[in-house]
Amino acid sequence: MLDLPEFWKSLPHESELRGKYAQPAEYAAQWFLPLGAVVLGVAALVSGAVAAGVLLLAGGAGIGFWLHRKASAADEARARWTRSLYCRQCPAVFPREDAVTV
C-alpha cells in the first residue's frame, strides 16, 4: 500500500500512469462576473430601475453560489486524492478510510 501522492511522484515523467493518477485540477473561480452583476444591480436599484436591479442581484448571487460550489467540489476532489491509497497488487485506488490491513 502506498500513498497515492507519493506513488504519483515516484513515477517516471514518461509513464502513462502519471496522467491516469494525476491530482485533479484546481478550479480557479472567476469572481469578477458575479461581483460585477451585484455592483450593477445595486447601481440599478439606486437609480430607480428596481426590476433590473433585482434581476442583476439575483443573477450575481446565483452565479456566485454556483462558482462557490464548483470550487468546493474541486477542493474536495483534491483532498480526497491526497488521502487516497494505491494498491500495487490489485492496482486499485481507494480512500484511506476504506483501507483494511491484513
Side-chain angles (χ1 to χ4, degrees), residues 20-75:
K20 182 177 180 180
Y21 295 120
Q23 185 174 20
E26 186 174 356
Y27 183 76
Q30 300 294 324
W31 297 104
F32 294 117
L33 178 66
L35 184 61
V38 168
V39 168
L40 285 175
V42 169
L45 283 174
V46 170
S47 69
V50 176
V54 169
L55 184 64
L56 284 168
L57 281 173
I63 291 171
F65 179 72
W66 178 70
L67 288 176
H68 175 70
R69 288 195 50 174
K70 284 192 69 133
S72 295
D75 289 343

Side-chain angles (χ1 to χ4, degrees), residues 1-33:
M1 300 304 257
L2 298 170
D3 284 329
L4 183 58
E6 291 178 18
F7 172 70
W8 184 80
K9 288 178 189 175
S10 71
L11 292 170
H13 289 290
E14 62 273 356
S15 175
E16 61 187 37
L17 294 177
R18 281 186 77 82
K20 182 177 180 180
Y21 295 120
Q23 185 174 20
E26 186 174 356
Y27 183 76
Q30 300 294 324
W31 297 104
F32 294 117
L33 178 66

